[in-house]
Amino acid sequence: MVNPTFWNGKKVFVTGHTGFKGSWLCLWLSSMGAEVTGYSLEPSTTPSLFDLCDIKELLKSNVISDIRDSQRLNAAMQEAQPEIVIHMAAQPLVRESYKNPVETYEVNVMGTINLLEAVRNCASVVSVVNVTTDKCYDNKEWHWGYRENEPLGGYDPYSSSKACSELVTSSYRNSFLNNQVGDRKIAVASARAGNVIGGGDWAADRLVPDSIRSILNDQKIVIRNPSSIRPWQHVLEPLSGYLMLAEKLFQEGEQYASAWNFGPSDADARPVEWIVQEICRKWDGASYEVDNSAHPHEAHYLKLDCSKAASDLNWHPRWNLGQAIDKIIEFTVAYQKGESLINVCMRQIQDYNGLNKE
């Protein structure tokens, strides 16, 4: 479980803070009293969770800039003097990586290098979590979960770029950060999560956002690859893992400086069509159809083995897939009614962390 006392007053530098996962993370950190500096481009979607919850007002500093701008990144980190860095700035979409492969590698690989260089130059940093993806593995389409020591790979530019980011992280850890940097060591780990879902995601070419968008526009949901199986999980699941990992890195250092998987239970590795059927069952009047036209290659089956996180961090999934979909429906209804979405998000964070008692 995430420890709010640890985070109270901690100086945290979050890249990609205007994105879907970054916005949820900033909400959680601010609710625990952390002093958050965000570094990111403007939100990539309209609407965005960042704007709807007015997250800018919760931050110590809101730096709108590109992770590829190493000079600006260094200046922002020097000004913030963070103790903990959580790196989530990325080009996060498989299909977009086919359209813009060069940009994908620039952001996901050189962006990681820029971040780790800024960390090396900042005397206050103690721990770093680099968020990558489950797609960094050399996917053999087998039916058991990938462990952290499995070979890295990646068919598409996105997956490949994230495998490269993992290699960069390992190299910097071994070459620089686990060695003395001035009078200290910097503990850096990477975190690999599954297909993250939750309220407030409006990205294109993602199953749940596309489904919610269709519902709100009174349109039929259109799906591709209906039999493809993914490790679906609510956004708060991996975020809790990142926070627990960052705390361990801060307190115990290089013992936890390695790669970590944060995925759902085996029962929640479900086909695309199952997810849409469940959404339609829970939203009266919703329906779907399958798009059988040709699409770029995407993995058919992918699952993570999270035994390491369970054993060494005592991290376990807390919400099953049905509960995750319920939370998305709750958020969407509130959005449709014009209710306070920051209140909805904060309540869900409290629910997840066991702070709300019936």
Side-chain angles (χ1 to χ4, degrees):
M1 185 178 294
V2 175
N3 178 10
T5 302
F6 168 82
W7 291 97
N8 186 31
K10 287 291 186 299
K11 294 182 178 180
V12 187
F13 193 95
V14 178
T15 72
H17 71 291
T18 63
F20 165 58
K21 287 174 72 175
S23 294
W24 273 100
L25 181 61
C26 288
L27 286 168
W28 199 341
L29 286 168
S30 69
S31 75
M32 296 186 291
E35 298 180 14
V36 182
T37 294
Y39 184 100
S40 182
L41 298 174
E42 294 282 2
S44 60
T45 64
T46 303
S48 71
L49 185 63
F50 184 80
D51 289 332
L52 289 172
C53 292
D54 203 14
I55 291 171
K56 178 180 177 180
E57 298 304 314
L58 303 177
L59 305 176
K60 178 183 178 183
S61 181
N62 179 50
V63 183
I64 301 301
S65 191
D66 197 314
I67 197 69
R68 293 172 290 182
D69 186 342
S70 59
Q71 186 173 3
R72 183 70 184 95
L73 178 59
N74 269 281
M77 193 168 294
Q78 290 295 332
E79 183 177 349
Q81 290 292 297
E83 301 159 278
I84 297 170
V85 175
I86 302 177
H87 176 45
M88 293 195 293
Q91 192 298 95
L93 301 174
V94 171
R95 288 166 71 88
E96 179 64 23
S97 78
Y98 282 112
K99 299 174 187 175
N100 294 297
V102 173
E103 179 180 334
T104 298
Y105 283 105
E106 288 176 345
V107 172
N108 293 351
V109 184
M110 286 307 302
T112 300
I113 293 171
N114 291 341
L115 185 282
L116 294 175
E117 280 293 307
V119 163
R120 287 180 68 195
N121 295 327
C122 187
S124 61
V125 178
V126 177
S127 68
V128 181
V129 176
N130 176 28
V131 175
T132 62
T133 176
D134 59 349
K135 296 177 180 64
C136 69
Y137 291 105
D138 182 16
N139 189 6
K140 305 295 186 183
E141 303 276 357
W142 56 37
H143 290 270
W144 53 89
Y146 291 90
R147 295 169 296 179
E148 289 86 350
N149 59 356
E150 304 280 1
L152 301 175
Y155 182 104
D156 56 87
Y158 167 71
S159 303
S160 170
S161 71
K162 284 298 194 175
C164 291
S165 179
E166 287 278 353
L167 292 172
V168 166
T169 302
S170 177
S171 175
Y172 266 72
R173 177 168 54 236
N174 294 330
S175 299
F176 308 114
L177 305 179
N178 271 3
N179 299 314
Q180 289 298 126
V181 182
D183 61 351
R184 79 204 196 284
K185 293 183 178 181
I186 302 173
V188 57
S190 58
R192 305 161 181 176
N195 278 44
V196 174
I197 60 177
D201 189 0
W202 276 277
D205 295 326
R206 279 186 179 152
L207 177 64
V208 173
D210 286 347
S211 299
I212 296 301
R213 200 160 22 244
S214 295
I215 287 172
L216 293 176
N217 292 329
D218 294 322
Q219 297 172 343
K220 184 173 287 189
I221 300 168
V222 178
I223 63 171
R224 56 185 186 271
N225 305 318
S227 61
S228 291
I229 296 172
R230 301 282 186 271
W232 311 96
Q233 58 189 155
H234 192 274
V235 62
L236 296 180
E237 301 281 17
L239 292 185
S240 70
Y242 307 160
L243 293 170
M244 293 169 71
L245 175 57
E247 179 180 348
K248 286 292 189 182
L249 290 167
F250 187 93
Q251 294 174 331
E252 302 187 42
E254 62 186 283
Q255 177 182 347
Y256 291 86
S258 58
W260 299 81
N261 287 339
F262 298 104
S265 64
D266 288 353
D268 287 331
R270 295 280 192 170
V272 164
E273 191 165 20
W274 186 95
I275 299 292
V276 176
Q277 288 173 340
E278 191 70 3
I279 291 173
C280 290
R281 186 179 69 82
K282 294 183 177 188
W283 192 286
D284 187 41
S287 62
Y288 75 96
E289 63 184 11
V290 177
D291 178 0
N292 291 313
S293 60
H295 298 284
H297 173 274
E298 295 187 49
H300 176 75
Y301 193 86
L302 183 59
K303 189 166 70 170
L304 297 175
D305 183 329
C306 302
S307 301
K308 179 181 172 183
S311 173
D312 295 355
L313 294 175
N314 196 28
W315 177 89
H316 305 274
R318 305 192 69 180
W319 285 347
N320 62 38
L321 189 50
Q323 290 171 300
I325 293 174
D326 287 340
K327 295 298 183 182
I328 295 169
I329 298 296
E330 177 188 36
F331 180 96
T332 305
V333 169
Y335 170 74
Q336 196 176 43
K337 292 181 176 179
E339 296 176 2
S340 170
L341 296 179
I342 190 170
N343 288 345
V344 174
C345 291
M346 290 300 192
R347 184 171 65 248
Q348 291 189 1
I349 290 168
Q350 291 181 325
D351 288 345
Y352 180 85
N353 219 33
L355 299 177
N356 282 341
K357 304 297 182 182
E358 295 298 333

